[in-house]
Amino acid sequence: MMRVLLSELPIKKLATITKINGSDKMRNRLMEMGLTDGTTLYINRVAPLGDPLEIRVRNFSLCIRKDDAKMIEVKLH
């Protein structure tokens, strides 16, 4: 399975979070939103200018900035 950053994940491709990088404060913020290791997600759509990304995770939609998505490593299914 291929590992990429969430910001590089193709739309509608299923992936699993393997690692969250960044400062402790940023990691905690992302984990509070439900983005934890082992969580399955996919990018539902991208705004016209490429930022933010709408992801589908834990049966709800979540919009995150592309800079934040660059801190999340995922593996493709």
Side-chain angles (χ1 to χ4, degrees):
M1 294 189 186
M2 191 171 140
R3 292 178 188 242
V4 296
L5 297 175
L6 179 57
S7 61
E8 301 167 351
L9 184 67
I11 294 175
K12 302 289 185 182
K13 294 290 182 180
L14 204 57
T16 301
I17 297 174
T18 57
K19 185 177 180 183
I20 299 177
N21 300 311
S23 67
D24 287 341
K25 184 178 178 180
M26 178 57 72
R27 278 197 316 268
N28 288 337
R29 194 182 117 219
L30 292 171
M31 290 191 313
E32 287 171 354
M33 290 189 285
L35 302 174
T36 58
D37 291 351
T39 303
T40 302
L41 54 74
Y42 64 90
I43 295 178
N44 196 33
R45 57 185 160 178
V46 179
L49 296 177
D51 197 15
L53 310 173
E54 179 186 309
I55 61 174
R56 190 76 179 161
V57 59
R58 297 182 188 266
N59 209 20
F60 68 92
S61 294
L62 175 68
C63 290
I64 62 171
R65 296 178 300 183
K66 197 167 194 172
D67 286 342
D68 294 342
K70 289 179 181 176
M71 293 184 220
I72 302 170
E73 295 179 20
V74 297
K75 66 178 177 182
L76 293 169
H77 285 238

